[in-house]
Amino acid sequence: MRNLSDAELAQLLDKDIFHQISGVADHLGLECYVVGGYVRDLFLERPSNDIDVVVVGSGISIAEELKRQLGRKAHLSVFRNFGTAQVKIKGENGEIEVEFVGARRESYSHDSRKPIVEDGSLQDDQNRRDFTINAMAVCLNKERFGELVDPFDGLYDLEDGIIRTPLDPDITFSDDPLRMMRCVRFATQLRFFIDDETFEALERNAERIKIISGERIQEELNKILMAQQPSRGFVDLYRCGLLQIIMPELCALDVVETRNGKAHKNNFYHTLEVLDNVAKNGASLWLRWSALLHDIGKPRSKRWEPLQGWTFHNHNYIGAKMVPDMFRRLKLPMDMKMKYVQKMVDLHMRPIVIADEEVTDSAVRRLMNDAGDDIDDLMMLCEADITSKNQVRKAKFLDNFRIVREKLADLKVRDYKRLLQPVIDGNEIMEMFHLSPCREVGVLKQALKDAVLDNQVPNEREPLMQLLMEKAQEMGLQA
């Protein structure tokens, strides 16, 4: 973070767009301020092209006049029901978006986050902001250009790395419960800490999150997941009680049971470690969701076996079956993205099983066939899943994963897609044995495919035909 005087702020705002807004505001005789995230990010030295402007008066009138002056370079969208307007301006360094809104005061009813809005002063507008670091404003009028207006000491909170509400946090969160998710999200993205009084209000108001739609919640979850260290956000969500309402399946992992002196690991904190591991490698959003949900089936699969201790057999399969319901509840996409996460959860144990034994060509071929184009993502997830504190065992797994990767690369070079499709297909089987599509055709096709995958026979017509005849005879089929 850098400390900026009003003169230095004016210098940073010495851009055509701000001078153009300033000129329009002075021409119309309106007070005008750039506010919120853009001001915050000036101090944090973070780039931003999204500019929010508050006008004491009509924000729409400034937007319309700005569009008139800029002509074809600008596109204007007006939302009169909300008293806002957006101007998109094409520039040499890409598109700039400026949102204009009239300063306003808000009041809420208990059962809705939609406020009753009235015209207000700049102070009213800053009072309604979610956090002190987002309540700072910089004047754009010529006489006060660059002057910082910071009534809640947001600048000091930026310096201290603190997330705090401008007014009573209980009112802030009860009025609009989505602000609780935003509180945790900002703390995660900026690597800040939540002020004690603000955090206690999160705990007191957690139940209010139930009036927020799944769409809005998942937007914030996605931003937390894409942070540099997403575990911070999920720990905060858990500590304040929000996660128990949003994702109880994840909270169910925070259990450690001991029997006969044998304990299993805490799978909640293990999951967060796996999530951070994939984040360090720049994983996509959906691979991060896969990491978050990869052990979600463990509570339902946990068993005590006297000879083995604690087991979680088939937790990957159970977890994969849980994914669609969780996606549906959180309004996450029920398309190929969900299928991808489901596949990652289902397959995440396979490379570990391979790496724990002798790494054979046939096992790697099967893995490649089942994972398809997502094999590299699956390997990233599985390597992230090795969080053992036993360094010898961890080194063994990682070394075997290296061998798995080498075999994968070798099979790719050999065009594995061609190798994994037996030269005798289902149509030929039906014609040969006078069958219509039925279970027997599928059994014969799978027998041929398994033989190729296990390297029992080469993918050549003559040995496969011999194998087909033997299998058909066992099933009582005649050519």
Side-chain angles (χ1 to χ4, degrees):
M1 178 187 161
R2 57 186 167 183
N3 289 310
L4 299 168
S5 66
D6 288 354
E8 288 169 325
L9 280 170
Q11 191 172 3
L12 287 173
L13 296 175
D14 186 18
K15 299 177 181 177
D16 287 346
I17 181 60
F18 293 113
H19 288 299
Q20 287 161 342
I21 295 170
S22 176
V24 170
D26 286 344
H27 173 70
L28 297 176
L30 297 171
E31 283 183 55
C32 186
Y33 302 84
V34 59
V35 298
Y38 192 88
V39 177
R40 178 197 68 223
D41 290 343
L42 285 176
F43 288 97
L44 293 178
E45 302 181 76
R46 289 167 23 126
S48 178
N49 273 339
D50 295 333
I51 303 167
D52 291 323
V53 173
V54 164
V55 180
V56 182
S58 171
I60 293 175
S61 65
I62 287 188
E64 289 175 334
E65 177 61 20
L66 181 65
K67 160 61 180 170
R68 189 187 68 77
Q69 291 189 13
L70 293 176
R72 292 186 178 181
K73 288 197 302 183
H75 175 76
L76 172 67
S77 300
V78 176
F79 310 97
R80 296 195 184 277
N81 289 344
F82 299 97
T84 66
Q86 180 191 72
V87 179
K88 292 184 179 180
I89 304 153
K90 295 176 182 176
E92 294 180 1
N93 298 319
E95 191 171 68
I96 298 172
E97 291 186 9
V98 187
E99 294 275 353
F100 292 89
V101 63
R104 58 195 185 184
R105 64 167 64 95
E106 296 176 344
S107 57
Y108 292 79
S109 61
H110 189 73
D111 59 351
S112 173
R113 61 179 292 264
K114 294 180 180 178
I116 299 167
V117 178
E118 302 173 278
D119 292 341
S121 64
L122 174 66
Q123 183 179 352
D124 291 327
D125 202 88
Q126 289 177 299
N127 287 346
R128 73 178 182 83
R129 299 278 161 176
D130 49 9
F131 309 111
T132 60
I133 62 172
N134 294 335
M136 296 184 290
V138 178
C139 188
L140 294 179
N141 295 99
K142 185 175 181 180
E143 286 189 6
R144 297 169 53 209
F145 193 84
E147 179 185 309
L148 178 66
V149 183
D150 183 18
F152 305 110
D153 293 327
L155 192 54
Y156 290 118
D157 288 341
L158 274 183
E159 289 178 338
D160 295 337
I162 295 292
I163 303 294
R164 182 170 60 89
T165 60
L167 302 178
D168 184 335
D170 283 306
I171 295 174
T172 298
F173 294 147
S174 182
D175 280 350
D176 184 355
L178 185 65
R179 289 169 176 162
M180 294 189 288
M181 295 295 299
R182 286 169 56 82
C183 179
V184 173
R185 188 252 291 181
F186 278 120
T188 307
Q189 287 179 324
L190 300 176
R191 301 172 75 84
F192 281 15
F193 293 97
I194 301 171
D195 165 71
D196 288 345
E197 186 180 347
T198 300
F199 192 86
E200 289 164 7
L202 288 176
E203 295 176 293
R204 288 191 294 269
N205 290 277
E207 287 289 324
R208 290 280 289 153
I209 201 66
K210 291 179 180 177
I211 73 167
I212 301 298
S213 69
E215 289 92 344
R216 301 309 300 271
I217 290 172
Q218 58 104 337
E219 285 176 15
E220 297 299 325
L221 286 175
N222 287 344
K223 291 173 182 177
I224 291 170
L225 280 166
M226 290 307 295
Q228 184 179 352
Q229 189 182 358
S231 64
R232 293 173 62 111
F234 286 95
V235 169
D236 280 344
L237 288 172
Y238 187 40
R239 286 175 54 231
C240 73
L242 285 168
L243 194 64
Q244 289 85 330
I245 300 167
I246 297 166
M247 297 181 71
E249 302 91 341
L250 194 59
C251 301
L253 294 170
D254 185 24
V255 175
V256 176
E257 285 192 64
T258 302
R259 190 176 293 190
N260 292 348
K262 293 184 177 180
H264 61 79
K265 65 187 173 189
N266 185 305
N267 287 301
F268 177 75
Y269 290 101
H270 161 73
T271 290
L272 296 187
E273 190 174 351
V274 176
L275 175 59
D276 283 349
N277 286 344
V278 297
K280 288 174 190 173
N281 290 319
S284 68
L285 172 62
W286 303 109
L287 185 55
R288 294 180 194 220
W289 269 109
S290 303
L292 187 67
L293 303 184
H294 80 282
D295 275 348
I296 210 75
K298 279 191 170 179
R300 299 186 187 182
S301 64
K302 185 169 71 173
R303 300 289 183 273
W304 170 258
E305 304 286 349
L307 297 179
Q308 294 177 274
W310 294 105
T311 65
F312 302 92
H313 296 312
N314 292 322
H315 76 271
N316 54 311
Y317 172 77
I318 293 169
K321 299 285 280 185
M322 294 168 66
V323 167
D325 285 342
M326 295 181 70
F327 265 53
R328 193 172 292 110
R329 188 180 73 238
L330 291 169
K331 308 299 183 186
L332 287 159
M334 299 298 293
D335 55 13
M336 294 307 296
K337 297 180 180 72
M338 186 276 289
K339 293 288 187 184
Y340 167 92
V341 173
Q342 195 173 29
K343 179 166 72 171
M344 291 293 111
V345 172
D346 189 25
L347 295 180
H348 81 270
M349 291 298 295
R350 288 274 295 280
I352 293 174
V353 171
I354 293 172
D356 203 23
E357 302 168 355
E358 182 183 356
V359 182
T360 64
D361 281 358
S362 61
V364 174
R365 280 196 186 96
R366 285 183 171 278
L367 176 65
M368 186 181 294
N369 181 65
D370 292 341
D373 293 337
D374 300 315
I375 184 66
D376 291 332
D377 285 0
L378 179 62
M379 291 301 296
M380 185 191 297
L381 173 60
C382 292
E383 287 174 346
D385 198 16
I386 306 303
T387 62
S388 172
K389 301 301 181 278
N390 182 328
Q391 294 302 314
V392 174
R393 179 169 170 77
K394 186 173 183 178
K396 176 194 170 187
F397 270 116
L398 293 177
D399 189 55
N400 279 6
F401 274 137
R402 179 184 56 78
I403 297 171
V404 172
R405 282 188 178 278
E406 288 173 356
K407 286 188 178 292
L408 285 169
D410 181 53
L411 286 171
K412 284 180 181 179
V413 170
R414 287 190 260 158
D415 190 8
Y416 71 89
K417 288 184 178 179
R418 177 181 58 81
L419 292 173
L420 298 185
Q421 294 301 322
V423 295
I424 300 174
D425 63 15
N427 290 328
E428 188 171 354
I429 291 171
M430 288 189 288
E431 184 177 342
M432 190 178 302
F433 296 101
H434 313 292
L435 297 171
S436 56
C438 60
R439 186 187 69 84
E440 286 78 7
V441 176
V443 170
L444 290 171
K445 281 178 61 179
Q446 192 62 46
L448 298 183
K449 190 168 188 176
D450 287 345
V452 173
L453 287 169
D454 292 335
N455 213 24
Q456 294 174 1
V457 295
N459 191 11
E460 298 171 4
R461 187 171 186 80
E462 187 174 338
L464 281 176
M465 186 62 74
Q466 183 178 341
L467 178 64
L468 177 63
M469 291 302 181
E470 291 171 1
K471 185 67 179 176
Q473 190 173 10
E474 291 174 13
M475 296 170 63
L477 299 175
Q478 297 292 326

